[in-house]
Amino acid sequence: GSLTGSGSIDSNGDFSFSHTLANDLSTEGNETVDIKLFSDSSRSTQVGDTASVAIVDTSKGATYSISTSASTINEGQTLTTSISTTNVAANTTLYYSLSGTGITSADFSSGALTGSGTVDSNGDFSFSHTLANDVTTEGNETVDIKLFSNSNRTTQVGSTASVAILDTSKTPSYKITPSASTINEGQTLTTSISTTNVAENTTLYYSLSGSGI
């Protein structure tokens, strides 16, 4: 129903009209609607008394919560973040971000630093990130997960969830072992390279040099 309209009197001197109140999920307090009747289309000549109806606000404020599959996680593991809401309409799009000191996209082998999800009929959605096992010793880091109601990510909803990323990387080491410390001309010298904490298939480069070489 609209805020203005008209009706024609029937043979009994009556007419009626209907309006359905929106269930808008917005907490705005109780309201009063005043219904007035006029004899002219410009609505300047009121006839009869004003009827008032109280509209009771049955809406409840929306809530948002962020929970993570772990509060601490190792590099190489997968972190799943679950969003739960109440009084948020199904199919509502929410937006998230991951940030923190030293946190970049390179910290994740899958999953972006920003994204969005659509609330299902239960008010939920989830997303996952896999931490990169980067073999770089950089110390523990903290990633902050935030939820927003707008795509510009200026209106945060719910509280920030923080997860500690444990740096399981170890400093690489390299060892060069020749088959002999002295060798005669005509003999074969075999050099063995041993490493720790260096990824398989990493290419290393060597050189031989010296006085008179």
Side-chain angles (χ1 to χ4, degrees):
S2 64
L3 294 179
T4 60
S6 62
S8 298
I9 301 296
D10 64 16
S11 60
N12 295 316
D14 305 325
F15 79 94
S16 64
F17 50 90
S18 297
H19 290 75
T20 300
L21 281 297
N23 191 358
D24 55 13
L25 300 179
S26 298
T27 302
E28 50 201 0
N30 293 343
E31 299 170 298
T32 300
V33 58
D34 294 326
I35 306 169
K36 299 179 181 181
L37 190 64
F38 301 88
S39 61
D40 59 320
S41 61
S42 61
R43 295 173 178 81
S44 59
T45 305
Q46 183 174 349
V47 292
D49 295 326
T50 300
S52 297
V53 177
I55 301 173
V56 178
D57 186 6
T58 58
S59 305
K60 298 178 180 179
T63 65
Y64 308 82
S65 66
I66 304 173
S67 59
T68 56
S69 55
S71 57
T72 60
I73 191 168
N74 294 329
E75 291 181 334
Q77 294 183 325
T78 297
L79 174 69
T80 299
T81 302
S82 299
I83 306 299
S84 297
T85 70
T86 61
N87 304 312
V88 175
N91 299 317
T92 296
T93 299
L94 298 175
Y95 305 85
Y96 61 83
S97 71
L98 283 75
S99 60
T101 302
I103 298 296
T104 69
S105 58
D107 289 307
F108 303 93
S109 59
S110 69
L113 293 179
T114 59
S116 63
T118 302
V119 174
D120 64 19
S121 58
N122 295 315
D124 306 327
F125 75 94
S126 63
F127 50 91
S128 296
H129 291 77
T130 300
L131 281 297
N133 196 354
D134 56 13
V135 197
T136 300
T137 302
E138 52 200 355
N140 295 344
E141 298 173 300
T142 298
V143 58
D144 295 324
I145 305 169
K146 299 178 181 180
L147 191 65
F148 302 88
S149 60
N150 63 325
S151 59
N152 292 332
R153 296 175 176 81
T154 56
T155 305
Q156 184 175 353
V157 291
S159 300
T160 301
S162 297
V163 177
I165 303 174
L166 303 182
D167 185 5
T168 56
S169 305
K170 298 179 180 179
T171 302
S173 66
Y174 307 84
K175 183 179 181 181
I176 303 173
T177 306
S179 57
S181 58
T182 60
I183 193 169
N184 296 327
E185 291 179 337
Q187 293 183 324
T188 299
L189 173 66
T190 300
T191 303
S192 299
I193 306 298
S194 299
T195 70
T196 60
N197 305 311
V198 176
E200 185 179 1
N201 297 320
T202 296
T203 300
L204 299 176
Y205 306 85
Y206 61 85
S207 70
L208 284 73
S209 62
S211 178
I213 299 298

